[in-house]
Amino acid sequence: MAYIESFLLFLLVVIITFLVLVTPIVIIGWILSYVEFFNKRKFFQFLFLKKSKLIKDQTEPYFNISKIVKSNAIVFFTIVYITTVSVFYVKQSFNYYGKDRAYPQAKAYAIVGNSVFFIHSFLFSFSRINIHENNLDNKLMAFQDFILNRMYQYIPKDDAEREYWKYKFKYQSIITQRYVPVSKEDRESKYRFFRTEMGIAEYSPRLYPLMDEIQQISKALFYGNMKDIELNQGKRYLPIAHISYYLANNFINYTTLKRPEGDPYTVKGKLMFQDKTLYAKYLEYTNLLVALQEKIDTNSAVKKVFEKNPMHQAFLFASLLDGFDTILRYKVFSNIYPCNLKEAQQFLDYHRQINDWMENKGTSFQTLSRRGQKAAKFILGASGGRQSFFIIAKYICEIPIDYYNSWEKQALKDSNGRKDLLKRYAISGLFKDRFEYEKIILMKETHTKGEEK
């Protein structure tokens, strides 16, 4: 019964999508048929008539809706559409009904959910607006909820695969575009909504339950049991890396405290110091990411999955840098000297690992396209945001580091390679509006005097 119902639902999605896509073609063809420049062109006639033969002394309009519906353009589109849909269904079936896959009845509904997911993602990326504010999105999400409930009938409650599909069908498109659902009421209230270069929405009450939900999904995917062998071998961990970058950018708004002035990186440390509950959540999630990276480094199957998905590795690395950078800022605001902390060493260990990943040949970073590498470098904070403690460690803590990071390379380039200017350039450039590095210098002097005594 599940296979029949899921196939009928798939056909329903296919038919509705076809009608939505073909209607603009018919309308455009009908409108252009009244433009003399087009209706005299044989190619246009070939597209929008079944036969491209001219009719002399015609008493009716040469073009009409019924002719266009039966035209070569619509026939060609229909053939391409049916072929694409058939290939999609067959490919999905082979993928989900293999011997290593659990709960085949649930996977039958997953094929339907995937088709709606692609439509939803296309609308999300194409419109470049927060589609969570309109009725279309509500209907698509209601349909996805329906599909998930059907799948849950065949997946036990203690199986983490439930969370995998919840992420896939409800949150992946949101996280990819880094949007926060904000209602019309939120916009008209005291809460502000805006997009920055980081995709951050500020002070949206609807952010908090969303953040709680996706954190629970991450925990379930990492710690939970999963019967499906293919998912269990590594794919289950990809959503955690993807979610981590969204959380890293939005933790700054995950508090009811008023956001202080300053850049996002400095502000985050201040907020963590002011809101101890927020810091506890951030620390817990950072520790989860540390455990995930350890699994990647020690488990060959998981490592292979992340090598095939290098952008997810970039997301995870960026979130680790962000996590430890924020934790160290919190320590400084708590008047704790950061240079000798284990978190400082962990930050530098990950920084070196990231540097090797980007610079050495044979890594998954090298498999990315030029555009992909540029995006990965931006994610990893090549502009300086997530590099700040590296500069502190090297030039203030004076920890021996035998390589240059991207910020230093840019500084050397701009100062014509003069290393004597590097320290001043790097510190003034990176901390002009960021982080109270003078406070660390003062703490260092106090700490040094204490050691001398």
Side-chain angles (χ1 to χ4, degrees), residues 96-125:
Y96 289 148
Y97 298 145
K99 63 179 181 178
D100 293 337
R101 310 313 302 266
Y103 317 121
Q105 295 96 332
K107 299 298 196 298
Y109 289 104
I111 296 174
V112 185
N114 272 333
S115 63
V116 178
F117 165 74
F118 289 133
I119 296 169
H120 187 259
S121 298
F122 172 77
L123 292 173
F124 216 145
S125 59

Side-chain angles (χ1 to χ4, degrees), residues 219-278:
K219 292 176 185 177
L221 288 174
F222 189 81
Y223 296 111
N225 297 317
M226 192 175 284
K227 185 178 178 181
D228 190 290
I229 296 175
E230 184 171 322
L231 289 177
N232 199 41
Q233 285 179 339
K235 287 185 178 179
R236 64 184 293 178
Y237 301 110
L238 291 174
I240 303 175
H242 193 202
I243 289 170
S244 69
Y245 189 62
Y246 182 87
L247 289 173
N249 283 336
N250 280 295
F251 254 105
I252 193 171
N253 304 306
Y254 195 31
T255 176
T256 56
L257 295 179
K258 185 177 180 181
R259 180 172 171 175
E261 295 296 325
D263 74 277
Y265 299 98
T266 300
V267 166
K268 194 184 295 184
K270 290 180 180 178
L271 286 174
M272 297 291 173
F273 175 69
Q274 295 170 4
D275 188 341
K276 298 298 189 291
T277 303
L278 178 65

Side-chain angles (χ1 to χ4, degrees), residues 222 237-246 248 285-297 302 306 309-324 350 353-354 357 376 379-380 386:
F222 189 81
Y237 301 110
L238 291 174
I240 303 175
H242 193 202
I243 289 170
S244 69
Y245 189 62
Y246 182 87
Y285 196 75
T286 301
N287 289 333
L288 172 65
L289 300 183
V290 170
L292 175 57
Q293 186 58 50
E294 289 177 354
K295 187 174 284 290
I296 295 171
D297 294 336
V302 179
F306 274 83
N309 297 273
M311 284 305 296
H312 285 76
Q313 182 64 77
F315 288 139
L316 180 57
F317 276 149
S319 301
L320 285 166
L321 282 187
D322 189 276
F324 284 104
Y350 285 122
Q353 188 175 358
I354 293 166
W357 182 65
I379 287 169
L380 290 166
R386 294 186 174 91

Side-chain angles (χ1 to χ4, degrees), residues 5 16 26 31 40 44 64 137 194 234 332 339 368 391 441:
E5 184 185 38
I16 292 174
V26 173
I31 292 173
K40 289 186 177 181
F44 182 81
N64 57 50
D137 178 72
F194 60 90
V332 173
C339 296
L368 288 167
I391 301 296
I441 294 174

Side-chain angles (χ1 to χ4, degrees), residues 415-447:
S415 59
N416 299 319
R418 292 181 60 185
K419 295 181 182 180
D420 57 317
L421 293 176
L422 181 58
K423 177 180 177 179
R424 186 176 64 185
Y425 187 101
I427 291 178
S428 63
L430 191 58
F431 300 119
K432 182 171 61 176
D433 298 314
R434 305 176 189 273
F435 207 61
E436 299 167 305
Y437 70 94
E438 295 93 347
K439 186 173 184 178
I440 301 179
I441 294 174
L442 183 61
M443 292 171 70
K444 179 185 177 183
E445 292 174 354
T446 306
H447 183 79

